[in-house]
Amino acid sequence: MTATHVVINPATAAPVVELPLASLADADAAIEAAHAAFPAWRAMPPGERAALLRRFAAVVDAHLDELAELEVRNAGHTWGNARWEAGNVRDCLNYYAGAPERLFGRQIPVPGGVDVTFHEPLGVVGVIVPWNFPMPIAGWGFAPALAAGNTVVLKPAELTPLTAIRLGELALEAGLPEHVLTIVAGKGSVVGERFVTHPLVQKVCFTGSTEVGKRIMAGCAEQVKKVTLELGGKSSNIVFADADIDAAAASAPYAVFDNAGQDCCARSRILVERSAYDEFLSKLQPAVEGLRVLDPSDESSEMGPLISAGQKASVSEYLDEVDVAFAGSAPGGPGFWLPPSVVTVDDPATRIWREEVFGPVVAVMPFDDEADAVAKANDTEYGLSGSIFTTDLGRGLRVARAVEAGNLSVNSHSSVRYWTPFGGYKQSGLGRELGPDAPMAFTEEKNVFIAH
Ligand code: NAD
């Protein structure tokens, strides 16, 4: 009998649809078909591959509302976020459609001949996607991988397979050849693991928890398989006393409570210079209390539910260990709801200060000076993102350079643009996604010498 999985609407806890789960044999068949599709895809003239990716982008654009609606129902994302996410897939495809014709090698001066380099595609790439941003993270993997001439097998998270499955259908509708992009919806322990162990998969592009990422890296070592890891985070929002405190307090909730805090880039720690600490907290409170935590099917909702009962229970455990300083509201009734909550922390050993909670919780701590702020921000095994609020541009740049993280923003909370590189220091990851170089990460550099 085929194993199935019931997809749940996290805002209501009601079932959305029951889907079959791919088996090991299904994963093997998808990988083998992707391997068979690779020679023709890599041999396609660059301009034709580019045109197909642009057509895929146009088809995604034509289905933007449909994709967004699926994500509102499947992941509890707000309409604003879900539309942005579908648009991000389109934009990524359009951006990387510029890559096939620009996969430049180099000509390097050597005696006795000519030396040139080529960027050759790898073959089959396995992309493993988490549940928190199902559409963008899928696109960040498949768009540059396809542009570089690889075929892709993609496994969405068990909880959120619907948009990935639809994107796979839209790729075919756009004219991508069969098996160039295949969605294999199944369990991590079955389909995800198979991407790691199957010898025809040349690279695994994984986004998810640090725990599973370590396991994937260890598994890939067996075949010296290439791997990109985008893992957890515990990022700091550092607010100096000279900052525009009103702006810093007004924007801080959106930097952590977006997607109900289920964001690897969430600024889940706020460090505030001691002289501005009380003022900042007094201004943060109305901003948190004013957040519109509503059913995401309501267009004005700013924060939706957590993804699952399990995730809600895990976040609640952290909250049970501390006193909440103040919190916003959340709907009652069914669904996996928690209010956005603020805790103040003195002891950096506190679990909620150290661990990635992955929910609508932010911990606030004072600091004494710039060196103390940097030391506290860096006192974590993670290093994904962070923000610095100050009116002293020199300090903004100095602190941005000193914080050990891949994505910093000064007087802003932006982390992700498809045309700038994204990834983590330390245990937040390995390698970079997005930006102009992303297709290179899906190629081997080959050097060829031709004697005169
Ligand atoms: P997860 O690690 O549990 O699962 C991620 C994906 O890996 C899922 O598709 C899952 O099915 C699969 N998987 C699970 N076990 C596997 C195994 N043994 N082999 C292969 N695949 C396996 O993570 P999650 O709970 O879905 O997502 C939340 C985590 O993702 C958080 O830690 C978050 O910080 C991280 N994340 C990181 C980024 C980033 O870019 N750095 C972005 C989003 C999420």
Side-chain angles (χ1 to χ4, degrees), residues 127-133 137 140 155-160 186-196 204 206-213 215-216 229-233 262-265 307 311 356 358 382 384 422-424 428-429 433:
V127 179
I128 301 175
V129 180
W131 47 259
N132 64 332
F133 288 109
I137 292 172
W140 303 352
K155 193 200 89 61
E158 292 91 317
L159 293 171
T160 55
K187 287 189 170 188
S189 55
V190 179
V191 177
E193 288 258 9
R194 194 61 184 134
F195 291 180
V196 174
V204 175
F206 172 80
T207 305
S209 60
T210 296
E211 190 191 341
V212 175
R215 192 180 159 143
I216 287 186
L229 302 174
E230 296 287 2
L231 309 176
Q262 303 165 121
D263 181 343
C264 50
C265 290
I307 189 69
Q311 190 64 16
E356 183 185 46
F358 226 55
Y382 294 114
L384 191 55
F422 175 73
S428 282
E433 294 193 294

Side-chain angles (χ1 to χ4, degrees), residues 79-419:
W79 267 106
N81 278 10
R83 283 200 192 96
W84 180 89
E85 290 159 18
N88 184 261
V89 176
R90 170 205 57 210
D91 295 344
C92 250
L93 282 165
N94 272 327
Y95 180 67
Y96 291 113
E101 293 150 312
R102 295 177 177 81
L103 276 180
F104 303 128
R106 291 178 290 185
Q107 177 268 312
I108 300 172
V110 290
V114 175
D115 193 282
V116 285
T117 66
F118 298 89
H119 291 282
E120 309 278 18
L122 303 171
V124 180
V125 171
V127 179
I128 301 175
V129 180
W131 47 259
N132 64 332
F133 288 109
M135 276 191 280
I137 292 172
W140 303 352
F142 70 62
L146 293 173
N150 304 278
T151 53
V152 172
V153 285
L154 183 143
K155 193 200 89 61
E158 292 91 317
L159 293 171
T160 55
L162 299 187
T163 47
I165 291 171
R166 190 69 187 120
L167 285 168
E169 292 166 357
L170 296 179
L172 292 176
E173 196 176 316
L176 263 74
E178 272 209 87
H179 310 303
V180 164
L181 171 62
T182 311
I183 311 303
V184 194
K187 287 189 170 188
S189 55
V190 179
V191 177
E193 288 258 9
R194 194 61 184 134
F195 291 180
V196 174
T197 58
H198 201 300
L200 290 179
V201 176
Q202 302 300 326
K203 172 167 183 165
V204 175
C205 181
F206 172 80
T207 305
S209 60
T210 296
E211 190 191 341
V212 175
K214 285 178 184 174
R215 192 180 159 143
I216 287 186
M217 190 174 174
C220 284
E222 200 55 40
Q223 296 168 28
V224 197
K225 189 173 287 193
K226 290 172 182 51
V227 63
T228 302
L229 302 174
E230 296 287 2
L231 309 176
K234 190 73 191 173
S235 301
S236 294
N237 174 8
I238 306 172
V239 182
F240 286 94
D242 68 6
D244 178 341
I245 300 294
D246 288 315
S251 64
Y254 298 96
V256 57
F257 300 138
D258 189 55
N259 204 25
Q262 303 165 121
D263 181 343
C264 50
C265 290
R267 274 63 164 178
S268 55
R269 296 169 149 189
I270 307 181
L271 283 160
V272 189
E273 193 163 3
R274 204 173 289 278
S275 59
Y277 187 70
D278 291 340
E279 181 194 353
F280 178 84
L281 279 178
S282 72
K283 289 176 172 166
L284 181 65
Q285 184 162 359
V288 171
E289 289 170 353
L291 208 66
R292 296 177 62 85
V293 184
L294 300 170
D295 189 302
S297 59
D298 182 327
E299 283 269 2
S300 69
S301 173
E302 294 181 312
M303 187 185 119
L306 289 142
I307 189 69
S308 64
Q311 190 64 16
K312 179 179 170 177
S314 153
V315 176
S316 301
E317 259 179 45
Y318 284 96
L319 287 169
D320 290 345
E321 294 172 4
V322 291
D323 292 323
V324 171
F326 49 87
S329 60
F336 313 124
W337 295 92
L338 280 178
S341 301
V342 178
V343 299
T344 56
V345 175
D346 300 318
D347 179 2
T350 312
R351 217 161 70 93
I352 214 162
W353 182 257
R354 303 212 71 79
E355 296 180 12
E356 183 185 46
V357 179
F358 226 55
V361 182
V362 70
V364 193
M365 187 186 278
F367 69 82
D368 293 313
D369 56 21
E370 192 177 309
D372 187 34
V374 170
K376 283 182 164 139
N378 285 340
D379 178 22
T380 166
E381 68 201 21
Y382 294 114
L384 191 55
S385 67
S387 309
I388 300 124
F389 276 71
T390 175
T391 48
D392 177 342
L393 200 55
R395 166 184 273 163
L397 202 49
R398 222 165 36 237
V399 174
R401 297 292 302 270
V403 173
E404 297 157 350
N407 304 84
L408 278 304
S409 49
V410 179
N411 295 324
S412 144
H413 295 297
S414 72
S415 290
V416 178
R417 274 168 237 87
Y418 56 83
W419 65 101

